[in-house]
Amino acid sequence: MNVMEIGMMRSRIVLAALLMTVGQGAAAQDTPGKVLAEATFKQIDANADGAIPIDELQAFRGDVFVSMDADSDGAVTLPEFQGWDFGFVNIAESADRLEGFSTAQKLIFDLWDRDNDQQMTSDEMGAAMDRELPYADLNVDGSLDVTEFIMGFGVMIAYRAALKVE
């Protein structure tokens, strides 16, 4: 099995786990977006200690990057970035917020594509994670707890704003 196949398999497993969690969370009166964000946090938190340090974030990022890079050319284009989703697009669709969600994805992609060549490399995505963690780390302990992840991590901020029904 090659790296791409492993990445795709892992992303499918993550997606299945996230979707099961979303279904469970609906009964708990949480918004679907919050439930999905919490499930994402749990997937990134490899040792289940309630904290995501940079090494766990980067390991998850590496797997995600491989699964996003559909043509295995070492770069992710905006269509590849937007085509890789783990449930938020379904939430956007049911909230009639697809346009806002698409705009949020474009914004994230543009922020992460530092050289503006319309292709995000693994290094660019890794550098984005390196910048995002300290921004979201309010207690400056070098890792993110679930609240810091949901409220301060750039992707979660953008998705939360895009999915907010006014």
Side-chain angles (χ1 to χ4, degrees):
M1 192 176 289
N2 68 32
V3 174
M4 179 66 172
E5 291 169 330
I6 292 169
M8 291 300 289
M9 184 180 349
R10 180 162 183 187
S11 68
R12 287 184 191 120
I13 291 167
V14 169
L15 175 60
L18 292 174
L19 292 175
M20 286 189 300
T21 305
V22 169
Q24 294 168 354
Q29 304 286 345
D30 283 334
T31 65
K34 182 179 179 197
V35 171
L36 190 52
E38 288 171 347
T40 303
F41 177 89
K42 288 178 183 175
Q43 290 296 315
I44 299 170
D45 182 13
N47 63 1
D49 67 352
I52 300 173
I54 195 65
D55 62 324
E56 286 180 346
L57 186 61
Q58 289 291 1
F60 189 78
R61 186 259 327 149
D63 291 339
V64 168
F65 185 87
V66 167
S67 65
M68 278 184 193
D69 185 13
D71 60 8
S72 300
D73 68 351
V76 172
T77 62
L78 179 60
E80 286 174 317
F81 184 76
Q82 289 182 307
W84 190 95
D85 182 68
F86 51 95
F88 281 105
V89 74
N90 297 330
I91 296 168
E93 187 172 48
S94 62
D96 197 27
R97 303 285 298 166
L98 277 174
E99 186 176 331
F101 183 72
S102 176
T103 299
Q105 288 179 308
K106 290 174 187 174
L107 177 65
I108 293 163
F109 183 85
D110 284 347
L111 288 170
W112 291 1
D113 176 23
R114 295 286 289 187
D115 63 5
N116 296 311
D117 67 352
Q118 304 305 304
Q119 296 185 44
M120 178 177 52
T121 65
S122 182
D123 287 345
E124 285 174 318
M125 192 174 176
M129 300 302 103
D130 288 343
R131 288 187 307 274
E132 298 246 356
L133 188 135
Y135 176 81
D137 184 15
L138 294 178
N139 64 4
V140 195
D141 67 353
S143 64
L144 302 180
D145 62 31
V146 69
T147 301
E148 290 170 328
F149 177 73
I150 292 171
M151 300 307 292
F153 197 68
V155 173
M156 295 296 116
I157 293 170
Y159 284 6
R160 189 173 61 250
L163 298 174
K164 186 175 183 179
V165 179
E166 300 169 16

